[in-house]
Amino acid sequence: MAWIAAGWLLAYTGFNGALFLSFRQRTRSERRFLKESDGVEVDPIQAAWWLGSSRENAPAQQEWYAAEVAVRLLITAGDAEVDKDGRVTLMPGRPRSLADPVLAALVAGLRRRGSATVLELRTDPRFERFRTVLESRRAPLRERFGRYRVPAATAAVTVAFGMSMHAMIARHGVPGLPDQDPGWWTTVWMAVWAALAPLAGLWPPEMSRPWPRFTRRCRVAVAQALADESAETGFRVSRSVFFAPDRSEGRSGAGHRGSARSPRSRKGWKDVDDDIDGLADTDTDTDTDTGTDADTHGAGGSGDLGGGD
């Protein structure tokens, strides 16, 4: 019985060893990259790529966060500003050249476009150059650890059941039981499996982010690069990451003639028949205001169309 147990447990150990060697082989290039970058300050844009978001345990390698951090770096350096809708424009009188290729491509795109949101940076064809350079800063690392727990747990079940069936066929009793009936192995195998299965938990979960040390370094790099940023700047930039800002908000302020909607659009359904006698005059005013409204919303719509998905 000792030889049977030793053989099956040795097979279980060998399978996990082969799984580890497979992991080492698959991550050879990644480990080389991490070794080369060890001791060197992590680039904040590359760090933002890897972090994927400012929150903990966010999915890795997200382009939107890298683009957002690039914009925030440009603003923190004083080369750009952002309005309350998240639209970024270059500061006048700051034509200096930037050494960072990502920020230089961002500045060149903003000079051609005039202004843009983070969403437009990610979708507008006119910022294709910026996205190409941004993609080149992505760390060559896998986004998830990989599926290793499932094979290890499957091996535990196979070894526990195979060892028990082997002992039963060989007519060996369960060690430690007074009744040496080999039929007990049909039940005892579950206890063996319960002892081996937790070992699969030594492997990280499939969806977990690998390389935790590099993750910590990236988080520090982004925090240090944006240490002088105001909370309002970060909030404004993040407003337009996933959706286009509502350009119609705030039109009733100074320089605007109240609401841009026509008098007819402001009426309730009970007011439709109140002014039948003045229908002609109302239609004239409505056509005039509607033309103004179409022009106004047409201009706003063109900005949103450029950043559409």
Side-chain angles (χ1 to χ4, degrees):
M1 180 59 207
W3 286 106
I4 293 175
W8 281 95
L9 292 178
L10 183 62
Y12 179 69
T13 303
F15 178 83
N16 280 273
L19 203 61
F20 177 74
L21 291 178
S22 173
F23 169 75
R24 298 281 295 182
Q25 179 67 25
R26 294 175 60 187
T27 59
R28 177 180 298 179
S29 61
E30 299 179 47
R31 289 183 288 107
R32 185 184 304 113
F33 166 79
L34 294 174
K35 185 177 180 180
E36 292 174 354
S37 63
D38 195 14
V40 181
E41 185 178 354
V42 182
D43 173 65
I45 297 178
Q46 187 176 78
W49 258 114
W50 175 245
L51 293 177
S53 176
S54 58
R55 64 180 178 87
E56 296 281 349
N57 300 321
Q61 308 289 35
Q62 300 294 308
E63 182 194 42
W64 68 265
Y65 189 58
E68 177 185 339
V69 169
V71 169
R72 291 164 64 181
L73 289 174
L74 191 67
I75 296 173
T76 303
D79 295 305
E81 59 182 357
V82 58
D83 61 16
K84 63 180 182 180
D85 290 330
R87 186 164 292 278
V88 181
T89 55
L90 294 177
M91 292 289 290
R94 296 295 295 268
R96 68 186 183 95
S97 59
L98 299 175
D100 192 304
V102 176
L103 299 183
L106 176 58
V107 169
L110 289 175
R111 283 174 179 169
R112 292 191 301 267
R113 175 70 187 269
S115 65
T117 64
V118 178
L119 176 62
E120 292 170 343
L121 294 177
R122 297 169 49 219
T123 57
D124 196 317
R126 287 171 287 188
F127 290 99
E128 182 67 28
R129 172 61 181 169
F130 166 72
R131 291 192 293 270
T132 301
V133 179
L134 185 67
E135 178 70 24
S136 66
R137 300 291 277 276
R138 176 173 176 168
L141 302 174
R142 64 185 63 235
E143 301 176 14
R144 301 176 182 87
F145 183 81
R147 182 171 297 181
Y148 295 91
R149 277 188 176 183
V150 173
T154 303
V157 175
T158 303
V159 167
F161 187 78
M163 181 175 65
S164 301
M165 293 302 101
H166 189 175
M168 187 175 66
I169 293 172
R171 308 301 295 173
H172 289 289
V174 178
L177 292 183
D179 186 359
Q180 291 297 300
D181 182 5
W184 280 109
W185 284 108
T186 58
T187 302
V188 174
W189 80 269
M190 290 185 289
V192 178
W193 169 74
L196 295 179
L199 298 178
L202 297 177
W203 294 95
E206 174 187 354
M207 301 300 292
S208 63
R209 180 199 301 269
W211 321 120
R213 184 169 175 267
F214 185 68
T215 301
R216 292 191 294 269
R217 292 179 59 201
C218 289
R219 200 166 297 281
V220 172
V222 173
Q224 291 178 349
L226 299 176
D228 297 332
E229 180 191 51
S230 65
E232 184 179 5
T233 297
F235 172 75
R236 288 184 173 184
V237 173
S238 63
R239 281 197 63 186
S240 58
V241 171
F242 297 107
F243 58 90
D246 187 359
R247 301 292 301 278
S248 63
E249 292 181 0
R251 294 186 180 221
S252 60
H256 294 280
R257 191 180 56 177
S259 176
R261 296 192 306 174
S262 65
R264 177 174 291 180
S265 64
R266 291 195 297 267
K267 288 190 176 185
W269 66 273
K270 292 183 179 181
D271 300 328
V272 173
D273 298 329
D274 290 348
D275 299 326
I276 297 296
D277 295 335
L279 183 59
D281 294 335
T282 304
D283 287 340
T284 302
D285 295 337
T286 302
D287 292 339
T288 303
D289 290 341
T290 303
T292 304
D293 181 65
D295 293 340
T296 305
H297 286 279
S302 63
D304 295 339
L305 183 60
D309 289 333

